[in-house]
Each structure stands twice: as structure tokens, then as C-alpha cells.
Amino acid sequence: MSKVKRSPDGPSGSSKKKKITDSLAEPRHVPGSIMKIELENFMCHEYFEVELAPSITFIVGRNGSGKSAILMALLIGLGGKSNATNRGANITEFIKQGSTYAKVTVTLCNTNDKQSAWNYEDYGDTVTVERKIAKSQSYYKLKSHTGKTISSTHNQLQLLLSHYNIQVTNPISILNQEMSKKFLATKEPSDKYKFFLQSTHLETMINDYQEIDNRVVTLNSTIRRKEASLPEMRAKFFSTKSKYAEANLLQGLRDKISAAKDELVWSKVIALEQEAEPLEKYITSLKTEKAPDFDRKVTAKNSEVRAVDSQIKKLESEIETASDKYGSLQSDSESMKCMVQAKKREVANVMKEIGNCKTSARDITQDKRQIENKIRDMEESNRKRNVEAERAQRESELDDCKQKLETLTNELQSVSSEISRYEHERLQLSEELKQITDDLETNQERDRKIGDQMRTCQSGQRSRVQVFGTYMDHLIKKVEEAARQGRFHQKPRGPFGLHIRVKDAKWTTVIESAIKAHLHNWVIHDSHDKGVFTQIYRSCCKENLPNITMMKFREGTYDISRNRPQNVNHPTMYDMLEVSDNMICNALVELTTMEQVLLIENSEEARGLIVGHAPKNVMSAWTLSGDDVKPRGVYSNDLSRQTAKMLNVDTTDLLRQLTHARSRITSEREILNQKYSSLDGQLKAIRTKAVGNRNRQSNIKRELNSLNERAIELDNLEDAPMMDATALQQDVIVYEAQLAELAEKKEALEGRRAELDEAYREARRRWEESTKTDGSIMSELEELRTKMGVLQRKRDKISQEADRLKNKKKEIVAETTKAENEFNAKKKQIEDGTAMAIQCCPRIETRKKPGQIVKLLRNLEQQVNKSSISQSEIDALATQLEEIKSKYLRKKSAIKKINELAQELKSAQADREKHYFIMRKEISYRLSILFSMNLSQRGYSGQIKVDHKNGELNMQLNMPNRKTHDVKSLSGGERSFSTVCFICSLWCLMESPFRCLDEFDVFMDLFNRRITMKMLIEYSKSSNIHKSQFILLTPQNLSTVKEEDKVGMKILQLDAPTRF
């Protein structure tokens, strides 16, 4: 058996290190199996290294020894996420406390067959995966057998795992401690069915098919959206075609435009001249008035600062003198304090020695008195002793002891049986109390949920808009205000739920559950409107932006006649909704395809109609019980305790129902509390009786032990010789000498204590006088420092005022410079404008503003544009017309291709689902056969029934002495054994280079554990499970495993954890 060895040095020679070694000759590893795991600063391990056997390795250790940390390291090291471990939400939580990083190194076998090895030329015989976790990041390294880093990407790690079919999140590959305990203890068929789907990858296939369905829905939505834009494109084509008319341009308008342009040039020059005149006056005012005034104020403030600095310098000198004096006295006071403490310690030491002397004298006196009494007893015994009488007395006492022993033995058996009966009653009452406690918790949770629903209904009574958020009223008003101001091209519509009403109230909760994700959505015309809406939303609310559906607004709703189900006597979700806004209705059609979702009251009828062979144009169906029925299966939703919160609900009636339900729950809670109090009283009475019986049992056992010892002592006792007291008398003389010596030592120590007390009182008096002197000097020093603070604050205030004046002066200088620059720029613009205007025409004196002339020019140009279109514009219109036509034809062709692709995808999906059902049936059949074979290891028989329709997996077992149809009636060990048989059957179905189980035997008794151990060992040596490597973790020893079964096995014993 391998042992855990500790080395005094870690990887760098400075930290502790644990390393597991083994001397057994091991067979060769298969490709993909784990050869070694190395941990550094991971969870409870500072450094840990373990080499695993090729076939089967048992890791044995008590709780807290770190065995599960090895499994967590394997999962994390091979790319697993922290939430897959059930130990933490963040990867940094695995870093050992007190460390800044953690590192996991996993070495995989890459040999045995070079053709099937992964990149053998680069990596060689082994592939080492190293993952380092720091506080801020985590990264990987893939190394060759020589230690060279070949890759550092997570993608390469995924390729390696895929090559060897390593699935770290699959419980068949790695079943960690939390999942193992939960799964081994579960009795629910639905939990076992979920485990079956996850282990056989059927769950992944279901998710893939769901994704394909979503893609088909997206394609259909794209087709409808593109088809909706075709009429708009046709209208744009005919609008462009009509713009071929006006061709003449009036010459008079051109002359007016030319004259207006000349006047505009000179009007700009005149406007610049008018702007420059007041600017020149402002510059003169700054230079001659404001700047000199601030210079005078700054000079006065600087004089005040110098005067305060002189006072501060004088105070600093006084403070320094007082501080030196205080420091000198403080040093003397400290030395006196040390002397007082030293004297006090000397007095305490002397008092301790005096106490030791008194204790020793008391002990010696007591020993001396005992010996003297013993001497007197021996002398008295020798005088009165009669041997024959003593022998007769011993025999009589021995007979009495035997009679008492027989009586007490019978009484002990009676008490033990009563204790067993009380313990059985206590366990029964404890189980009943636990059940009542669980019922109370369930009752309180139901009461809390109904209270939440009542508050929601009351909120809905106040304002239905507030159901969608307290900010919604304000947001809708802001959107309407922005629409009135013309900021939107089209006013956004939403939230969807505010515009939806369910025609039949019984379907309200079901429909809300089906489209709940879209009830807060908004529909918006284009990206411009989305930007404006986002700005308004941010100003009203700090929550995340709701989902936005962006689509071109149009009149009316979509024509869904082609997509409606045919020959079906059930309403669709589209039929059951009354949507007050056409665009919201169209958006819901695109998002949910609700025209193809049926509403069927009876679940059985829905399953018979939809599952496996849905009618044409039917995507799914919803039932009143909340089942979402699809062609490939049924997804159940528990709506029994849910009520509609956002769609039209009769809040008055609902509040009445909720109040009645809450009263009923309160009554149930009172009954449960009464029952709990009654059972708790019975349990306390039984515990009191049990404690009394246990005390009585302990007393009887002690009395039995005492009587047994006395009987043995009497039986073995022989006639003793006469006693000699000479040695004891010699001990009395020695004790008297020791007492005399201690009395002399105590007298000397009393004298020493008196001297030390006097010295201590004198030292303390001098220290207290020094402390008083220090206090007066300290008060004087504090007063000087207070004055210094006042002066410094005064100086700071004056300095701040001076700085403010300086800054103000700088602002005036900067403002002057800015004004001069602006004036020079204006002057330059005037010169440039005048030069350009002269080139156009002589100076024109005008009183019109440039804006008035620009407006006149715009009106003239509009008249010209209305009356004529140039040839270039006609050519541009012809080109635009051709582009629109080409774009229309291309979009029509694209719609046709997308439609064909959607049909092909739908056909392929149907074919895949057909093969999926066949494969699922085959896997279930093989699983049942393998399970029956594994049960035969213990002489059991049974089968597994997989109900895919209801999502349940049931195990049926037949015992040799009784017939059991349900594993719920089995004991914990038998149920754990059947579950291990189930896991072994899954192993035979799914291929993996290694398999890990943590605490698989935690609920088993000794017999079931021995059978399970034997079965796992035989599986590890069998060829039926693809030569996999087994890593099994257990907190129990392996004493039940036979020596011949340990051949090729590796057992790693971890040290027990250190408890503080």
C-alpha cells in the first residue's frame, strides 16, 4: 500500500511538500489516461504530487484530508469551470488561503499506439497540461514529454480532450463528491432520468435540436420581414419614375440670385466691422482699469503674509525650547518607570518563593502525618491480628460479592433493554419532528409567495402600468412628449404587455408564461428612433435597456393565413390574444410564431396530437396545466401556484382567492405547530428517561467492576506476615529535617521581602513626582501649539486670498489676450472679405443682415428648382431607377433561396429526430440488460424502465427473499448498490479513457460495500469498458478487499487532517 510522504522542502526548497510514491510494478497506461497529477497552493494542499496506476487507483482518506481536492484539481486542470465543481462560483476560490496563485499540472499518456496518439511528433510519449490560477487571470500551457511548452491556447486543450474523448463535465467521467452524495441518496426517477440524459449525451442532442428549431423560426421571421419590404420598394420605384418633367429655368431668377450673392458678400464685411468696434472698446477698458486695481490688492496681501510669517517664526522657537525640555523629563520618567517595574517584579519573585516554601512544608507535613498514622495502624494491627478469623471473613465477603454480581448482572440486562426501547421511540419521534419541520418550511414558503402575489395584485389595482416598473409611467410620458416634438420618425410602441389582452381569462397565466420574455419589449422604427429612445430611457431609469425589436412600421397586420394550422379544432395563441397595436402584433408574430402555437386544455389530447407527428404548420401546443408540448417531447411547467402578473387579470377576484388560500395556509401552520409542540414534549420526556437509565446503567457497570476487582482481590489474597514499621519511622525523621530547613529559608525570604517593599515604595514616589512635572510642561507646549495653529490658519487664509487675486489677475490678462486675438482675427476677416468683395463688385452699402439675404437666396433657388430639372439630374434619376429595380429583383431571389434553405433545414431536422428516437430506444434497451447483469453480482435481478415521455427512469429489483418494485423501499446500502450498478452500466455504454468516483460507498453497509468493491475491481480488469483507468475516492479503509484482488491496484492513503 502506498503511503503519503512529507518532504521538508517544496518545489523551490522553501515550502512543505507532499508526494505519493508506490513500489508496485505497474502495467502500461492507455492513451488519454492520467499518469500524474501535481498541485501547488490548491485548496488545502501547499504542494502535492500523485502518480496514478494504469488500471485502478483507490485514494483513501478521512474527511478534510484533501482527497476531493485531487478530483477538483483534475476537473479544473483539464479546462473545467468553477461552477461544475459545486465548490465555488469563482476560480480564484481554489487558491490556498494566504497564497497569491495556484497551479495544477496533469500528465496524460500519449503512447501505446503512435498512430492514435495526439500530435506525437510535437509532444512525444506524454502531454502535460498545466493551468495556473492567479487573482486576476488564469491560463494554460501544453507541454511535451521533455517539458517544452508547445501551446498556450484553450482551443488546443479542447482539441486534445476531443481527441481522447475526455469529457470533464460528464458525470460518467468525473462524479464529484457533491454530485455523488446527491445522486446516491436520491429516490426520484426524474433525477435519475436527468443523470441518464447528461451521461449519454442525449441532453446535448436535445439542446442541439432546439437550437435548430430556433434557427428555423429565425429564418421564417427573416422571410416575413423581407417580404414585408417588397411593397415599399415597388412604391419607391414608381415614385422615382414620375420625376421626369420640369426643364426650363427663368433667366430673371438667375439675375436676382447673382445680385443677391454680391450683396451677401458685402453684408458679411459690414457685419464684421460692426462686431469689431465694441470689442476694441472692451480691450481698452481691461488694460487701463481692471488690471492695475488687482496689482494693488495683491501687493497689500503679500505684506500681511510677511507679518504673520514673522510671528510664526518666533512661536516656533518657543515650541522647540519647550519640546526639548519635555523630551528630557520624559526620558527620566521612563527610566524611573522601568525601575518601579523591576522592583515590583523582584517583590513578586520573593513572594512566589515564600509561597513555594509554604506549599512544600504543607505537603511534607501531610506526608509525615500519614506515615505516623500508618505506623500506629501497623502496630495496632500486629497486636490484634487473628489469622483464622481473617480467612473466614474473606471467604464470607467473597460469597457476598458473587451474589451481588449475579443480581447486578440481571439488573443491567433489564436496564439495557429499556434503553434500546427508548432509543427506538426517540428515533421515531425525531423522524416525525423532521417531517413536521419540513412541512412548516414548505408552508412558510407558500405563504411568502402568496404574499408576493397579493402585493403584486394590489400594485396592479393602483396602476397597471406600474406592473412593468415604477418608472414606466414617466417613461411613456417622455416618449409621447418626444413624439409630439417630432424627435422620432415613428413613435416607439411598448411595452408589449400593456397592449395585450387575453380573450379567455383561463388562458391568461399560460400565455403569460409562454411569452413572458417579450412582455417588456418595445418595437422601434429605425436606428435613429432607437438612439432617441435609449437616451430617454437612460434619463428615466438606471436598469438595463429592455429588448428592442427594430422593424419598419407599416399599416395593418401581417397576413398569416398561409402559416395557420389546417384542419385543427383548437384555437391558436394568435386567436386568443387581442393586441391593440398592429406593430406590436407583427413583432409578436416574428418573435414567437404564435399563429402556429395551439392552446389545448387536456394534456393527454395535446400529447397525442403533437408528439412525433405534429399537424402541418403546428410548432407546439400549450395546455392549461402548463405543459409545453413539442413534436420531440414535453416540457412541464408548474403553474399551479402561479398567477398572471402583467396581462389582464381580475385582481379583485384574485385577491379574494389569495386571501382565502393564505388563511388556509395559516390554519395548517397552527395545526403543524401544535403537533410539533406535542411531539417535542414527548421527545423531551423520552430523552429524560433515557438519560436516567443511562446513568443507572453506568452506575451498575461501575459497581460491577468494583465488585469484580474486590472478588479477584479476595480470591487471590493469602495470609500476610506481621508488618514491620522500621522503614516508615526512618522516613519520619527525614521529613522532620526537611521541615526545619524550609522554616529557615522562609524566614530569610521574609526579611528580603521587607527590604524590597521599602525600595519599591520609594521608586514609585519619585516616578509620580516626575509625572506631575511632565504634565505641566505638556500643557504649556499644547498652548503654544494652539497659538501656532491659529497663526498658520490666518496665514493660509491670507495666502489663499492673495492666490485668488493673482488668479483673477491672470484671468484678466488671459481675457485681454483672448479679446486681442479675437479682434485681430476679426480685422483679418474684414481685410480678406473686403479684398474678395472688391473682386466681385464695387462696395455696396446695405442694411440687410447676411441671414436675410441667405433666406432670400434660398427662396429664389427653390423657385428655380421647382421650375426646372437639369440633364445631369435626369441622368441621376435614371441610374437610381435602375438600381432600385435591380435591388428589388435581388431581394426577391434571396427570399426564395432562404425559403428553400428553411425547408431543407426542417426536413433534415425531422430525419435527425427520427434517428434520435431509434438511438434513444436502443441505448435504453442496452442499459436495462447491462443493469440486470450487474445486479446478478449479488444474486439480485431487475430491470430499468425509461419513460421518455414523462422524463422518468425507474429501477425495478427482485430480491431473493422478497419482491421489490421500487428502490424507495430499499435500505440505504441496497439503494446505493443498485445506483452503482446503474453507473457501471452507463460506463459500458459510454467510452472514456478514465473514470472517477468520489465517496461512492458513503451510504453502504459493510456487505454491500464489499460486493460493490469486488464488482468495480472486476470491471477495471474487464475488456468490456474499453480499457479505462479508474480513480476511486473513499473515506473508508479497504480491509474488505482481498490480497489477490489488489494485483495491479494502487491504494493511496492520505494523512489525516490537522485539527485546531
Side-chain angles (χ1 to χ4, degrees), residues 722-736:
M722 300 296 287
M723 292 179 286
D724 186 6
T726 306
L728 296 177
Q729 292 172 350
Q730 192 66 32
D731 290 340
V732 171
I733 295 172
V734 173
Y735 284 151
E736 288 175 350

Side-chain angles (χ1 to χ4, degrees), residues 408-455:
L408 288 174
T409 302
N410 295 331
E411 187 178 355
L412 180 62
Q413 291 176 352
S414 174
V415 171
S416 298
S417 100
E418 287 185 9
I419 289 174
S420 300
R421 180 169 59 81
Y422 287 146
E423 181 63 19
H424 179 68
E425 293 178 2
R426 186 189 67 79
L427 290 175
Q428 286 184 336
L429 288 173
S430 297
E431 284 294 326
E432 293 179 14
L433 279 174
K434 183 178 182 301
Q435 182 61 42
I436 291 174
T437 302
D438 294 340
D439 293 344
L440 280 170
E441 291 178 355
T442 304
N443 181 283
Q444 290 171 355
E445 179 64 19
R446 288 170 56 197
D447 185 71
R448 184 187 63 78
K449 289 182 178 179
I450 289 177
D452 293 341
Q453 294 174 9
M454 291 177 68
R455 284 189 290 274

Side-chain angles (χ1 to χ4, degrees), residues 270-289:
I270 293 170
L272 289 172
E273 290 174 348
Q274 292 173 352
E275 291 174 3
E277 183 177 355
L279 194 59
E280 185 177 9
K281 295 180 180 177
Y282 178 65
I283 293 170
T284 303
S285 171
L286 289 175
K287 288 183 176 180
T288 57
E289 297 177 6

Side-chain angles (χ1 to χ4, degrees), residues 79-126:
K81 296 182 179 179
S82 58
N83 54 13
T85 64
N86 296 321
R87 290 294 187 96
N90 195 316
I91 195 71
T92 57
E93 294 180 16
F94 293 99
I95 300 176
K96 189 177 187 298
Q97 188 174 4
S99 302
T100 58
Y101 74 95
K103 186 165 69 174
V104 178
T105 305
V106 181
T107 302
L108 303 177
C109 177
N110 199 39
T111 58
N112 271 353
D113 184 359
K114 295 182 181 179
Q115 293 181 351
S116 62
W118 188 69
N119 293 349
Y120 187 82
E121 296 78 8
D122 295 331
Y123 290 92
D125 294 337
T126 62

Side-chain angles (χ1 to χ4, degrees), residues 642-679:
Q642 296 185 21
T643 57
K645 299 178 181 178
M646 289 179 280
L647 297 182
N648 57 311
V649 290
D650 185 359
T651 54
T652 304
D653 184 54
L654 182 58
L655 274 172
R656 191 183 307 111
Q657 295 176 10
L658 290 173
T659 304
H660 178 69
R662 198 170 194 181
S663 300
R664 187 172 63 255
I665 289 173
T666 302
S667 300
E668 292 175 0
R669 186 163 61 247
E670 290 176 355
I671 293 171
L672 288 172
N673 283 326
Q674 292 174 1
K675 190 181 292 185
Y676 183 90
S677 300
S678 174
L679 290 175

